[in-house]
Amino acid sequence: MSATRRPILDAHGIGPAFSQIATSASLEDGEGCGPGEAIAELIRQSAEANAALMRGDIDGYRALNPHTDDYVLMSPFGGTPTRGSQMTDERWEAVGRFFSNGTFEQEVVETYGSVDMAVLVIIERCRVEVGGLPSQDWPLRVTLVYRREGVEWRLAHRHADPLVNGVSLEQAAALARGEGS
């Protein structure tokens, strides 16, 4: 956080980060809804957008979940992070075709926010056909970072992993070495 933002946040009594549960008062700056309401809306928006994605509705996903220009995706499949600049219309269409016939549920683990940043820590529970594989459960641990740009909240970062059920130390070590399970 920049040194110039800390005094602004402190003046509003919210410090560098706060939980949705702990803060429901509106900000005194008059810009949009209060932080609790903004996070509640991001939770709803995230669930609707990801439900659309699991059905293969990439246009619905993108309309409900705009990304920042410097967006970074750390996919549940690992590998090099994907940057927003790499996401051409053709690549977005391919993402839409990758998922089909899915259902989506979202469990909120924790939320954090500030005047212009919000973080959702969630468990996504999907049952979906992925990449041509038969339908199966795909639970993911996910961290979403949203940044406010003007009056709009945009997704700046998504990090997901399939470790909801946990792995042993040996399995984690094998993955770290690049070995299959």
Side-chain angles (χ1 to χ4, degrees):
M1 173 179 316
S2 73
T4 59
R5 289 211 176 124
R6 188 174 308 276
I8 294 168
L9 296 174
D10 289 341
H12 284 90
I14 55 181
F18 57 88
S19 169
Q20 166 200 0
I21 296 167
T23 305
S24 60
S26 295
L27 295 177
E28 296 171 12
D29 62 7
E31 292 183 22
C33 59
E37 293 88 356
I39 288 183
E41 178 61 19
L42 288 171
I43 290 169
R44 184 200 62 76
Q45 178 182 312
S46 169
E48 286 185 25
N50 286 299
L53 181 60
M54 293 303 103
R55 294 188 306 269
D57 177 7
I58 196 63
D59 293 332
Y61 170 81
R62 291 180 74 187
L64 288 163
N65 206 19
H67 291 63
T68 62
D69 290 339
D70 59 349
Y71 169 75
V72 176
L73 168 66
M74 295 183 76
S75 152
F77 306 112
T80 303
T82 301
R83 304 227 174 239
S85 60
Q86 298 169 304
M87 296 303 295
T88 62
D89 287 338
E90 294 79 18
R91 191 153 180 197
W92 277 116
E93 289 172 18
V95 169
R97 290 188 304 270
F98 194 65
F99 300 98
S100 61
N101 300 314
T103 60
F104 180 88
E105 293 180 22
Q106 174 174 282
E107 172 190 338
V108 178
V109 175
E110 189 63 74
T111 64
Y112 305 94
S114 68
V115 173
D116 58 2
M117 186 149 304
V119 177
L120 307 182
V121 180
I122 60 178
I123 304 289
E124 295 181 350
R125 300 189 190 283
C126 309
R127 179 148 189 93
V128 62
E129 297 170 19
V130 177
L133 295 175
S135 183
Q136 73 172 53
D137 291 335
W138 284 91
L140 299 173
R141 301 181 323 162
V142 177
T143 303
L144 302 170
V145 178
Y146 289 89
R147 186 174 63 225
R148 188 168 66 168
E149 294 182 352
V151 297
E152 183 177 47
W153 287 92
R154 292 180 167 262
L155 185 62
H157 176 68
R158 175 183 169 90
H159 184 193
D161 71 54
L163 302 176
V164 171
N165 296 316
V167 296
S168 70
L169 175 61
E170 292 77 17
Q171 290 169 312
L175 288 171
R177 291 189 302 268
E179 298 171 4
S181 54

